Amino acid sequence: MIGKHYVVTGGTSGLGLEIVKALLSHGAKVTLIIRDIEKYQSLSLNKYKGHIQRICCDLEQQNDIIALASQWSETIDGIIYSSGLGYFKSIAAHSNKEMIETYAVNLLGFHLLFYGLAPYLVNGASIVAISSQAAFVTQAHAAHYSASKAALNASLNALRIESPELHIMVVNAGPIRTPFHKKADPTMTYATKYSRLMIEPEQLAHRVIKGIIRKEQEINQPTWMHQLLKIYQLAPRTFERIFAPLFKNKM
């Protein structure tokens, strides 16, 4: 990865930040797409000066992404889309803003950014998106989040077929110990209840870097959760009826 150039979103906290640190430690150059300048300036990345730069862009705003792409000039060895959010509440309880924000960040932002930067991708460039195990399961009080991730996965699978010259990798993760949960559920009930199952972001970040180097197509963590969800998909409605409480754990 020495000297290669990666564009990273969602890189000022949580898993995204750990991925940025891992990339820099491997000698890569990183361009961070950020919305909050103050948050970026608070990061302890001074020792990587010269290897990291930032560009301000709100991924909820189509015009921001178009403007970013129109001013781009550097070649890109990879895009890592780590931005994501969700609200743990019923479909009826979502406000219009929350619903639109979920799809704008989790799905549309990825597509607009990829479309805008595609001309600058080198042959074999890695396109990595952080998705979720939620894409494979029905969950009450997380419908829009799950739907946005399922759509993201479907898009990446199609892109893998349409653009064989690129390396496409999706990372389906279970709950990660990141600030995501504070916005998803301000009470932190879910995060507290399932704290012992949380994936450590640093550990997953290094797994993502290995996946990029090895040109893997899919990472599913934790493995045991993904295997259980494969069994669930054999008869989903039956499992939902018999084990109903398991599908309401975000209430």
Side-chain angles (χ1 to χ4, degrees), residues 23-216:
L23 286 170
L24 292 169
S25 69
H26 278 74
K29 176 185 175 182
V30 175
T31 295
L32 266 178
I33 296 179
I34 65 168
R35 180 171 60 178
D36 189 334
I37 296 179
E38 291 184 2
K39 194 172 184 180
Y40 169 79
Q41 292 174 337
S42 69
L43 303 179
S44 301
L45 299 173
N46 292 334
K47 64 179 179 179
Y48 298 111
K49 189 176 181 180
H51 292 273
I52 186 169
Q53 61 181 347
R54 52 89 174 167
I55 296 177
C56 293
C57 176
D58 186 345
L59 294 173
E60 290 184 52
Q61 304 300 321
Q62 179 179 350
N63 290 337
D64 275 20
I65 301 175
I66 293 173
L68 178 151
S70 68
Q71 299 170 17
W72 202 272
S73 60
E74 298 181 81
T75 57
I76 302 170
D77 294 281
I79 297 174
I80 303 177
Y81 196 85
S82 187
S83 301
L85 59 83
Y87 296 93
F88 292 167
K89 54 177 63 178
S90 70
I91 293 175
H94 275 75
S95 67
N96 288 345
K97 181 181 182 300
E98 290 169 341
M99 179 175 61
I100 293 170
E101 182 185 20
T102 300
Y103 291 99
V105 174
N106 294 354
L107 179 63
L108 299 177
F110 167 80
H111 283 285
L112 292 170
L113 186 66
F114 172 77
Y115 177 80
L117 299 184
Y120 304 95
L121 295 171
V122 301
N123 190 53
S126 294
I127 308 300
V128 181
I130 308 302
S131 187
S132 172
Q133 296 284 358
F136 305 111
V137 61
T138 301
Q139 288 187 307
H141 290 73
H144 288 304
Y145 175 71
S146 298
S148 66
K149 292 299 187 180
L152 177 63
N153 284 15
S155 300
L156 288 164
N157 289 336
L159 186 60
R160 188 178 293 112
I161 298 172
E162 295 171 357
S163 304
E165 75 281 4
L166 298 175
H167 164 228
I168 310 298
M169 185 173 77
V170 59
V171 181
N172 298 307
I176 310 172
R177 200 180 306 280
T178 69
F180 165 89
H181 296 280
K182 293 181 180 179
K183 187 167 186 175
D185 174 22
T187 69
M188 294 295 285
T189 300
Y190 175 84
T192 302
K193 185 176 181 180
Y194 293 98
S195 177
R196 63 188 181 85
L197 300 180
M198 293 280 183
I199 301 171
E200 297 300 332
E202 183 178 1
Q203 178 186 8
L204 184 56
H206 286 291
R207 180 68 183 85
V208 170
I209 298 302
K210 286 184 179 179
I212 294 174
I213 294 172
R214 297 172 180 173
K215 300 292 184 180
E216 297 179 35

